[in-house]
Structures are given as C-alpha cells and as structure tokens.
Amino acid sequence: MIKPGCWTVAPRILIVDDEKTIRLILRRILQKDGYQVIEANNGEQCLEICQKQLADMVLLDAMMPQMDGFTCCAKLHQLLGEDSPPVLMITVLDDQASVDLAFQVGATDYITKPIHWAVLRQRVRRLLQTQWAMSELRRQIEKEQMLIEKLGKANKELERLASLDSLTMIANRRNFEQFIESEWKRSHRNGLPLSIIMCDVDFFKAYNDTYGHQAGDTCLKKIADIIIQNVNRSTDLVARYGGEEFVVVLPETGVEGAVYVGEKICKSIKDAAIAHQGSKISNCVTISCGVATRKSLLWESESEFQPSDLIKEADSALYEAKSQGRDRVYYSCID
C-alpha cells in the first residue's frame, strides 16, 4: 500500500512492456496497492507519455523490439534531464555488463525476470518514496531561494528608504555625506572640478506661520521636485540637507556650470508661483543659493582640503546670497 502522508494523489506508474500478459499482471498488482497505472507497449509511447509528464515512475522492460529499454531510458534522460521520472528496469539479463549499462543509461534501479512480486512491490514503494522526498527537498530549496531573493529585495528597499528623506523622497543628509565623500576622493584622484549648491527657502518660517506646517510640507515637496527637474544628469545628487535647506552635488562641474544650474533652480521656483504672503521680498516662494567649487587642479595633498571645507564655503556663499537680498545665487571657489 502507498505510505500515508507522502502523495496527496495516488502516484501514476507507467508500465512499458511489449508483452500484454506482463502488463496485465503488473497492472493488477500495482492497482491493488493503490497506484494509478498507465501502459505503453513500446519505447516511443513511453517517451511520448513521459514528455507530457503523466508518469511519476516507469517500469521499463529492457528487451523490446525496435527500441530496447536501455535506449529508451537514455533518450528519456536526454529529453527530460532532471525532470525524468525514476526508472525501474525489468530485465532477463543479470550479468554485470547489463546491470552496469542499466545504471549508465539512467535507470534508478533494476529487477530481473522472472519477477519476484514481493520484491517488485517493495522496490516500487521505495523508489516512489525517494522520489517524493527528493521532490519535497527541491520544493523546499526553491522556497528557500525565493525567500532569500525576497529578503534581498527587501533589504535593498530598506537601504534605499534609509537613504531617502521621508518627506520629499529625495536623498537625505546621510546619503549626501556619503556621496560628497566619494565624489571628493574621485575628484582628487582625477583632478576634476566638484561643485555643490546650498539652497535655502526664503522666509520659510513665515510661510509655516502663515499657511501652517502641513502646507509647509507640501511646499517643500514641490521645491524638491523643481530642483530635481533642473538637475538633469544621473551623476548629480539632490538631497535635503535639513529643514528648508537643500543641497545639490555636481561632479565634474566648474563654477560657471554650477552657477547656471543654481540660477535655473531659482528661476523655476519663482516661476512656479507658490503663494507666500509672509515673504518680505516677493508674493511667492523664492530660494537663495550658495555655490562652491573646487577647481580642476591636481591637488598637492588630499588632506589640504576636505569635503567639509567645500560645504562651509557653499554655506558662506548662501549667507552672502541672503545678505544681498535673497532670491539669488552667490558663488565662491576654493583654489
């Protein structure tokens, strides 16, 4: 009888033998043990049935006309590979060469004629239980691989979210600091210019006081979107520096290019015409920008300047932009 708990549906066993009497006897014995039975009287039928994945196991006669069992078994493995059902070879040959050949062509086990029926039943049960166990193991491995892939994707998503500002969904301060450190080293190594733009929303406290903090959050999201729209290269970075401050990192960009980007940002924000009745310089939201650039010279010493020096320079330029009336760009260079 079939071992409970292994197969939810009775396994299908394919009997392949050119002798009708043998097929009939095997059918009765196997059906008595609860198996489903399919029959084929030659190798071609066996291959056709197995390609349709209708059999969980094959009882294959070794000696058949046209295509013998050895050839059939070999072709079965060529066609299906690891998906081949287990094959129990039935043979009148019991010499060592025939046994070796049976295993060589892919048979899982063999039994000799005349068939000892009790032995046959035990071999069939053992092979099906092994097949079930192997299938379960493959399913578990596939399930674990899927879980590992899902975990990897989840970790990547967590890393991505950890690098984003939760309000504006652009890079956060931590992401910016890592990026500027990396780009600083690359600029030093290759003698390339590096620019950053510090941006500050003019009179933003007054905006919150006038319209409320929820409207202020919406305003910051719009400003972040506008800045991104004006920073076109994939190598650049737009980040929220903190509060109403934003920062743009422009690798391989000199002062002229950085000022151009800063002026585009200022103009685009002003053109967006976000109402700001609390502003002292305009009836809409404006922004001030401070640009700092490390020129494209091969630096004598990496320790001579640090990323923090460029940030301080940009912050000082931003202060000057505010001092000169806001809604403008002021720039500075580190030689």
Side-chain angles (χ1 to χ4, degrees):
M1 299 295 294
I2 302 170
K3 184 179 179 180
C6 288
W7 298 85
T8 55
V9 179
R12 292 185 297 267
I13 299 177
L14 172 60
I15 301 170
V16 187
D17 199 304
D18 61 312
E19 294 185 31
K20 186 176 180 179
T21 304
I22 296 295
R23 295 202 307 271
L24 179 61
I25 296 171
L26 287 171
R27 171 182 282 275
R28 288 176 178 174
I29 291 172
L30 296 173
Q31 285 181 335
K32 186 177 179 180
D33 281 349
Y35 302 113
Q36 300 180 69
V37 176
I38 313 170
E39 292 184 25
N41 57 25
N42 58 57
E44 287 82 1
Q45 287 184 6
C46 171
L47 297 177
E48 183 180 346
I49 291 170
C50 289
Q51 285 183 85
K52 295 178 181 178
Q53 296 183 334
L54 299 178
D56 298 304
M57 178 182 171
V58 180
L59 291 181
L60 180 60
D61 185 25
M63 306 305 292
M64 295 185 295
Q66 297 180 348
M67 181 188 295
D68 61 44
F70 299 108
T71 304
C72 179
C73 187
K75 287 189 175 183
L76 183 63
H77 281 272
Q78 288 174 4
L79 288 170
L80 301 181
E82 293 183 356
D83 294 327
S84 298
V87 174
L88 178 59
M89 189 82 76
I90 301 175
T91 177
V92 294
L93 306 172
D94 60 357
D95 59 285
Q96 187 63 47
S98 298
V99 173
D100 290 343
L101 180 59
F103 287 116
Q104 183 180 335
V105 297
T108 312
D109 204 346
Y110 79 99
I111 189 168
T112 57
K113 292 181 180 180
I115 299 172
H116 192 297
W117 302 113
V119 173
L120 174 73
R121 294 172 65 197
Q122 288 298 325
R123 296 275 178 91
V124 168
R125 181 183 301 178
R126 180 178 61 80
L127 290 181
L128 283 171
Q129 288 176 353
T130 302
Q131 174 75 354
W132 177 85
M134 291 300 294
S135 297
E136 282 298 300
L137 179 60
R138 280 195 294 269
R139 279 194 287 269
Q140 288 297 322
I141 291 173
E142 289 173 1
K143 184 178 179 181
E144 288 180 6
Q145 288 175 339
M146 288 177 63
L147 289 173
I148 290 171
E149 288 177 5
K150 287 182 179 179
L151 181 61
K153 290 178 180 178
N155 285 335
K156 286 183 179 179
E157 181 63 12
L158 286 174
E159 289 176 7
R160 186 185 73 84
L161 292 174
S163 68
L164 298 179
D165 174 62
S166 59
L167 175 65
T168 61
M169 296 309 290
I170 63 174
N172 58 17
R173 176 80 170 261
R174 175 174 169 269
N175 192 341
F176 159 71
E177 289 174 348
Q178 292 176 341
F179 187 80
I180 190 67
E181 183 74 27
S182 174
E183 287 302 320
W184 182 269
K185 290 179 180 178
R186 192 171 72 87
S187 295
H188 173 78
R189 186 170 59 249
N190 299 325
L192 298 169
L194 176 64
S195 295
I196 64 172
I197 308 172
M198 296 291 293
C199 310
D200 186 83
V201 183
D202 296 326
F203 303 106
F204 190 69
K205 182 180 183 302
Y207 187 95
N208 279 334
D209 292 342
T210 304
Y211 301 101
H213 288 278
Q214 187 172 353
D217 288 347
T218 302
C219 177
L220 290 175
K221 291 178 185 178
K222 289 180 181 178
I223 289 171
D225 289 340
I226 292 169
I227 294 174
I228 289 173
Q229 290 168 13
N230 285 276
V231 180
N232 300 318
R233 301 183 308 179
S234 60
T235 53
D236 302 333
L237 180 78
V238 177
R240 187 180 179 193
Y241 195 69
E244 68 273 21
E245 284 190 313
F246 298 86
V247 61
V248 180
V249 184
L250 302 169
E252 301 182 29
T253 303
V255 64
E256 296 85 357
V259 169
Y260 172 75
V261 173
E263 289 176 344
K264 277 179 61 183
I265 292 171
C266 283
K267 183 178 184 302
S268 295
I269 289 174
K270 197 167 185 178
D271 289 346
I274 304 169
H276 188 356
Q277 298 302 320
S279 174
K280 296 179 182 180
I281 60 170
S282 174
N283 60 0
C284 63
V285 171
T286 59
I287 199 167
S288 299
C289 296
V291 173
T293 299
R294 183 66 175 99
K295 291 182 178 179
S296 57
L297 299 175
L298 288 171
W299 311 341
E300 293 182 2
S301 171
E302 186 175 3
S303 61
E304 184 180 356
F305 296 105
Q306 296 297 325
S308 57
D309 296 312
L310 192 62
I311 296 170
K312 288 177 184 176
E313 198 68 21
D315 199 50
S316 297
L318 175 60
Y319 178 82
E320 287 297 328
K322 290 181 178 181
S323 299
Q324 293 183 16
R326 305 179 191 256
D327 185 25
R328 67 192 62 220
V329 178
Y330 188 90
Y331 67 89
S332 176
C333 287
I334 301 177
D335 292 330

